Amino acid sequence: MKKIAVFIVALLSLLQVHAQDDLDLAVMLQKTPDSNQIFKSDDYYTWCSSVIKGEDGKYHMLYSRWPHGKRSLSGDSMNYIFDGFSGWLRYSEIAYATADKLESPYHYVKTILKGTGDNDVWDRFTMHNPQIRKFGKYYYLYYISNSFDSSFSLPGKPRDEKWMHWLQYNCTQKVGVLKAASLKDLINGKFEKSAQPIMQADSEHSFEVTTNPSVTQGPDGKFYMMYKSRKPNVGNMTMWMAVCDRPDGVFKTISEVFTKPEMACEDPCLWYDHKRKRFYAAVKYYSNAKVLAPDFGDLVLITSEDGRVWTPAAHSLISLKELQLKGQQQIHLAHLERPFVFTDNNGQPKALFAAASIEEPSKGDVAKPAPAFNTFNVSFLIK
């Protein structure tokens, strides 16, 4: 009888944990957004949105953008590798838009952060992957940037010259943060900017690159960051967890999110759900293994009780790479990524934002891509 009682207690405990993990964003998403929920520009690639509600009751979007077209040499004889869509690695800037409603329509206001090319700073060129958060009385804007390391090389056989030049920019990507007392201050340049990165590869756990930062506060009061990096001799990128006592301090890596290639993901948006008492992250599935979702590039949901050990959520699929606007036919997308989940103060999802394109943007006209080759941010309300 004692063994039976122990078994029942264990089973009830498992059922309780499972019951807490009942978030099903695929069911909750508004599947057919209005055309106003598409945010784009005719002159810029539009990517990487994050949104926060301001003191004024309006909604404020920080996002990445970079101009169409061919690049001038600008002191770099191989600068042509950044033509068109590839320009994100050197020419992305963080721009600002506002809306009266959470889902739309958003209107561009100004660019707030742009690379200066200054040789003496770590964030010399691109400004990318913005994520806006408020912790306590302050606003924090996390972002990535890079410089250039002409000495960077990879061991082994000789590499293509263009690819190596790309890596000499790519493998200097690090994470920084802006801190401001108000959104108005942040937008108007009255902020503290980290003089040094708050996350960079340590060559012990993570290597070469740190990107895709997403930060939330856990129930223990600490601040958790999920980010993407690389491992030696591993084909896929990996995601890591880091922690810090302050939202703008130097984060310390504590665990790897997934270790198996069939679970590879990127582009995390991390939050803590106070109702379900667990962390969640919306991510892009970076595998063809069909474990978390039917196809490479679908949006999926992963979860953790402690912020260290991660598993697929009970309802792991968020969205296929599809889009159907009201009154229009469903279309397959080349990209649906960089998910951002807007939540209320209790960690309950209210909207999903994602970057998208209909056709592969790197194959379109770099001067002025046709609509199907341009990029845009799309918003979905969550019921």
Side-chain angles (χ1 to χ4, degrees):
M1 291 293 292
K2 186 176 181 180
K3 290 183 177 179
I4 295 175
V6 171
F7 174 76
I8 292 174
V9 170
L11 180 61
L12 289 174
S13 177
L14 287 172
L15 289 174
Q16 183 180 12
V17 170
H18 180 76
Q20 291 174 339
D21 181 23
D22 60 356
L23 182 60
D24 191 346
L25 291 179
V27 170
M28 299 164 67
L29 279 183
Q30 175 206 50
K31 295 291 175 60
T32 53
D34 186 271
S35 59
N36 282 336
Q37 290 167 245
I38 299 293
F39 178 63
K40 60 183 179 64
S41 169
D42 290 336
D43 300 316
Y44 288 81
Y45 298 99
T46 302
W47 214 246
C48 291
S49 63
S50 69
V51 174
I52 196 167
K53 188 174 183 179
E55 307 97 332
D56 56 3
K58 294 185 177 182
Y59 295 89
H60 303 258
M61 175 187 286
L62 284 304
Y63 68 100
S64 298
R65 72 173 200 166
W66 60 101
H68 299 155
K70 292 183 178 294
R71 314 301 169 197
S72 62
L73 292 182
S74 301
D76 184 341
S77 62
M78 297 185 70
N79 206 38
Y80 63 88
I81 67 173
F82 302 115
D83 286 350
F85 188 66
S86 296
W88 71 266
L89 187 59
R90 192 172 183 195
Y91 293 98
S92 179
E93 59 189 41
I94 296 176
Y96 166 60
T98 62
D100 293 328
K101 298 190 298 181
L102 173 58
E103 70 275 21
S104 67
Y106 284 85
H107 301 284
Y108 168 79
V109 178
K110 63 191 295 188
T111 292
I112 68 165
L113 199 61
K114 192 172 184 177
T116 63
D118 185 348
N119 289 326
D120 297 325
V121 297
W122 69 269
D123 50 354
R124 181 180 174 188
F125 293 117
T126 202
M127 303 292 179
H128 203 59
N129 288 175
Q131 189 167 105
I132 183 69
R133 297 293 194 191
K134 184 180 183 184
F135 299 122
K137 296 180 180 179
Y138 292 94
Y139 291 86
Y140 299 85
L141 178 63
Y142 299 91
Y143 68 98
I144 67 167
S145 186
N146 63 10
S147 53
F148 176 73
D149 181 3
S150 61
S151 67
F152 178 83
S153 62
L154 292 173
K157 63 183 180 180
R159 307 288 176 137
D160 175 81
E161 185 182 15
K162 290 189 293 184
W163 175 235
M164 279 305 308
H165 197 67
W166 175 270
L167 290 177
Q168 287 168 347
Y169 284 90
N170 185 76
C171 291
T172 62
Q173 291 178 98
K174 301 176 179 68
V175 178
V177 65
L178 310 181
K179 176 184 177 182
S182 67
L183 272 175
K184 183 178 179 181
D185 283 351
L186 178 68
I187 302 309
N188 290 322
K190 298 178 181 179
F191 49 70
E192 299 174 25
K193 186 160 78 76
S194 55
Q196 299 299 324
I198 62 171
M199 174 53 67
Q200 58 186 312
D202 59 15
S203 298
E204 178 184 356
H205 303 97
S206 52
F207 294 80
E208 298 174 7
V209 57
T210 49
T211 63
N212 298 177
S214 183
V215 178
T216 195
Q217 188 171 21
D220 57 0
K222 295 182 182 295
F223 298 89
Y224 290 80
M225 176 189 290
M226 186 179 287
Y227 70 95
K228 184 177 76 169
S229 188
R230 201 185 305 275
K231 290 181 70 176
N233 304 316
V234 175
N236 58 286
M237 299 289 277
T238 57
M239 293 196 306
W240 300 82
M241 291 302 302
V243 68
C244 187
D245 292 331
R246 295 165 36 208
D248 57 345
V250 176
F251 282 72
K252 180 181 179 181
T253 299
I254 55 173
S255 65
E256 190 173 350
V257 176
F258 290 135
T259 58
K260 297 180 179 178
E262 62 267 25
M263 303 289 279
C265 301
E266 66 172 8
D267 293 355
C269 177
L270 174 68
W271 74 96
Y272 186 77
D273 188 319
H274 292 273
K275 174 184 172 183
R276 297 174 175 87
K277 300 187 186 304
R278 58 176 55 239
F279 293 86
Y280 281 103
V283 298
K284 172 189 171 182
Y285 190 38
Y286 205 76
S287 171
N288 288 305
K290 303 183 185 299
V291 175
L292 298 179
D295 295 302
F296 180 98
D298 291 338
L299 299 185
V300 297
L301 188 67
I302 60 176
T303 189
S304 172
E305 291 186 77
D306 61 3
R308 293 173 177 264
V309 179
W310 288 81
T311 62
H315 304 282
S316 62
L317 180 65
I318 297 176
S319 176
L320 303 174
K321 289 188 296 183
E322 298 173 345
L323 179 62
Q324 182 175 2
L325 298 177
K326 287 182 180 177
Q328 299 185 28
Q329 292 184 338
Q330 187 178 79
I331 54 175
H332 179 77
L333 298 170
H335 293 277
L336 183 66
E337 52 193 70
R338 297 297 308 158
F340 178 82
V341 177
F342 179 95
T343 67
D344 64 17
N345 292 332
N346 202 32
Q348 303 308 293
K350 298 299 178 183
L352 170 71
F353 295 80
S357 68
I358 298 173
E359 299 290 346
E360 173 53 52
S362 62
K363 296 180 179 179
D365 184 351
V366 300
K368 190 174 181 61
F373 291 91
N374 203 349
T375 58
F376 55 90
N377 286 327
V378 57
S379 61
F380 304 86
L381 285 175
I382 295 174
K383 302 173 185 175

